[in-house]
CSV table of all heavy atoms in Angstrom, one decimal:
chain,number,residue,atom,x,y,z
A,231,GLN,N,15.0,6.9,18.2
A,231,GLN,CA,14.7,8.3,18.1
A,231,GLN,C,14.2,8.7,16.7
A,231,GLN,O,14.8,8.4,15.7
A,231,GLN,CB,15.8,9.2,18.5
A,231,GLN,CG,15.5,10.7,18.6
A,231,GLN,CD,16.6,11.6,19.1
A,231,GLN,OE1,17.7,11.1,19.3
A,231,GLN,NE2,16.4,12.8,19.3
A,232,ILE,N,13.1,9.4,16.6
A,232,ILE,CA,12.6,10.1,15.5
A,232,ILE,C,12.2,11.6,15.8
A,232,ILE,O,11.4,11.8,16.7
A,232,ILE,CB,11.3,9.3,15.0
A,232,ILE,CG1,11.6,7.9,14.5
A,232,ILE,CG2,10.6,10.1,13.9
A,232,ILE,CD1,10.4,7.2,13.8
A,233,GLY,N,12.9,12.4,15.1
A,233,GLY,CA,12.8,13.8,15.5
A,233,GLY,C,13.3,14.0,16.9
A,233,GLY,O,14.5,13.7,17.1
A,242,ASN,N,19.3,6.2,15.1
A,242,ASN,CA,18.3,7.3,15.0
A,242,ASN,C,17.5,7.0,13.6
A,242,ASN,O,18.2,6.8,12.7
A,242,ASN,CB,18.9,8.6,14.9
A,242,ASN,CG,18.1,9.8,14.8
A,242,ASN,OD1,17.0,9.9,14.1
A,242,ASN,ND2,18.3,10.8,15.8
A,243,LEU,N,16.2,6.8,13.7
A,243,LEU,CA,15.4,6.6,12.6
A,243,LEU,C,14.7,7.8,11.8
A,243,LEU,O,13.9,7.6,11.0
A,243,LEU,CB,14.3,5.7,12.9
A,243,LEU,CG,14.9,4.4,13.7
A,243,LEU,CD1,13.6,3.5,13.9
A,243,LEU,CD2,15.8,3.6,12.7
A,244,THR,N,15.1,9.0,12.1
A,244,THR,CA,14.4,10.2,11.7
A,244,THR,C,14.3,10.3,10.2
A,244,THR,O,13.3,10.7,9.5
A,244,THR,CB,15.2,11.5,12.2
A,244,THR,OG1,15.1,11.5,13.6
A,244,THR,CG2,14.6,12.7,11.6
A,245,THR,N,15.5,9.8,9.4
A,245,THR,CA,15.4,9.8,8.0
A,245,THR,C,15.9,8.5,7.5
A,245,THR,O,16.5,8.4,6.4
A,245,THR,CB,16.3,11.0,7.5
A,245,THR,OG1,17.8,10.7,8.0
A,245,THR,CG2,16.0,12.3,7.9
A,246,ILE,N,15.5,7.4,8.2
A,246,ILE,CA,15.9,6.2,7.8
A,246,ILE,C,15.5,5.7,6.4
A,246,ILE,O,16.2,5.0,5.7
A,246,ILE,CB,15.4,5.1,8.9
A,246,ILE,CG1,16.0,3.7,8.7
A,246,ILE,CG2,13.9,5.0,8.9
A,246,ILE,CD1,17.5,3.6,8.9
A,247,GLY,N,14.3,6.1,6.0
A,247,GLY,CA,13.7,5.8,4.6
A,247,GLY,C,14.5,6.5,3.5
A,247,GLY,O,14.3,6.1,2.4
A,248,ALA,N,15.3,7.5,3.7
A,248,ALA,CA,16.2,8.1,2.7
A,248,ALA,C,17.4,7.2,2.4
A,248,ALA,O,17.9,7.3,1.2
A,248,ALA,CB,16.5,9.5,3.1
A,249,SER,N,17.7,6.3,3.2
A,249,SER,CA,19.0,5.7,3.0
A,249,SER,C,18.8,4.1,3.0
A,249,SER,O,19.8,3.4,2.5
A,249,SER,CB,20.2,6.0,4.1
A,249,SER,OG,19.6,5.7,5.4
A,250,LYS,N,17.7,3.7,3.3
A,250,LYS,CA,17.4,2.2,3.4
A,250,LYS,C,16.2,1.8,2.7
A,250,LYS,O,15.4,2.5,2.5
A,250,LYS,CB,17.4,1.8,4.9
A,250,LYS,CG,18.5,2.2,5.8
A,250,LYS,CD,19.8,1.4,5.3
A,250,LYS,CE,20.9,1.7,6.4
A,250,LYS,NZ,22.2,1.1,5.9
A,342,LEU,N,8.2,3.6,8.5
A,342,LEU,CA,9.7,3.7,8.5
A,342,LEU,C,10.3,4.2,7.1
A,342,LEU,O,11.2,4.9,7.1
A,342,LEU,CB,10.5,2.4,9.0
A,342,LEU,CG,10.1,2.0,10.4
A,342,LEU,CD1,10.8,0.8,10.7
A,342,LEU,CD2,10.5,3.2,11.4
A,343,PHE,N,9.7,3.5,6.0
A,343,PHE,CA,10.2,3.9,4.7
A,343,PHE,C,9.7,5.2,4.3
A,343,PHE,O,10.4,5.9,3.4
A,343,PHE,CB,9.7,2.8,3.7
A,343,PHE,CG,10.4,3.0,2.3
A,343,PHE,CD1,11.7,2.7,2.1
A,343,PHE,CD2,9.6,3.4,1.3
A,343,PHE,CE1,12.2,2.9,0.8
A,343,PHE,CE2,10.1,3.5,0.0
A,343,PHE,CZ,11.4,3.3,-0.3
A,344,SER,N,8.7,5.9,5.0
A,344,SER,CA,8.3,7.1,4.6
A,344,SER,C,9.0,8.2,5.3
A,344,SER,O,9.1,9.5,4.9
A,344,SER,CB,6.8,7.3,5.1
A,344,SER,OG,6.7,7.5,6.6
A,345,LEU,N,10.0,7.9,6.2
A,345,LEU,CA,10.9,8.9,6.9
A,345,LEU,C,12.1,9.2,6.1
A,345,LEU,O,13.2,8.6,6.3
A,345,LEU,CB,11.2,8.2,8.2
A,345,LEU,CG,10.1,7.8,9.3
A,345,LEU,CD1,10.7,7.1,10.4
A,345,LEU,CD2,9.3,9.1,9.6
A,346,LYS,N,11.9,10.2,5.1
A,346,LYS,CA,12.9,10.5,4.2
A,346,LYS,C,13.5,11.9,4.5
A,346,LYS,O,14.6,12.2,4.1
A,346,LYS,CB,12.4,10.4,2.9
A,346,LYS,CG,11.9,9.1,2.5
A,346,LYS,CD,11.5,9.0,1.0
A,346,LYS,CE,10.9,7.6,0.6
A,346,LYS,NZ,11.9,6.5,0.8
A,347,THR,N,12.9,12.7,5.3
A,347,THR,CA,13.3,14.1,5.5
A,347,THR,C,13.2,14.5,7.0
A,347,THR,O,12.1,13.9,7.6
A,347,THR,CB,12.6,15.2,4.8
A,347,THR,OG1,11.2,15.1,4.9
A,347,THR,CG2,12.9,15.0,3.3
A,348,ASP,N,14.1,15.2,7.6
A,348,ASP,CA,14.0,15.7,8.9
A,348,ASP,C,13.1,16.9,9.0
A,348,ASP,O,13.5,17.9,8.5
A,348,ASP,CB,15.5,15.9,9.4
A,348,ASP,CG,15.5,16.2,11.0
A,348,ASP,OD1,14.4,16.3,11.6
A,348,ASP,OD2,16.6,16.2,11.6
A,349,PRO,N,12.0,16.7,9.7
A,349,PRO,CA,11.0,17.9,9.8
A,349,PRO,C,11.7,19.2,10.5
A,349,PRO,O,11.2,20.2,10.3
A,349,PRO,CB,9.9,17.4,10.5
A,349,PRO,CG,10.5,16.3,11.4
A,349,PRO,CD,11.4,15.6,10.4
A,350,ARG,N,12.7,19.0,11.3
A,350,ARG,CA,13.3,19.9,12.1
A,350,ARG,C,14.1,20.8,11.0
A,350,ARG,O,14.4,22.1,11.4
A,350,ARG,CB,14.2,19.4,13.2
A,350,ARG,CG,13.5,18.7,14.3
A,350,ARG,CD,14.3,18.0,15.2
A,350,ARG,NE,15.0,17.0,14.4
A,350,ARG,CZ,16.1,16.2,15.1
A,350,ARG,NH1,16.2,16.3,16.3
A,350,ARG,NH2,16.6,15.3,14.4
Side-chain angles (χ1 to χ4, degrees):
Q231 185 175 5
I232 292 181
N242 187 310
L243 303 179
T244 302
T245 59
I246 188 68
S249 59
K250 301 299 182 183
L342 295 174
F343 189 66
S344 75
L345 300 174
K346 299 184 185 297
T347 58
D348 187 343
R350 296 168 298 179

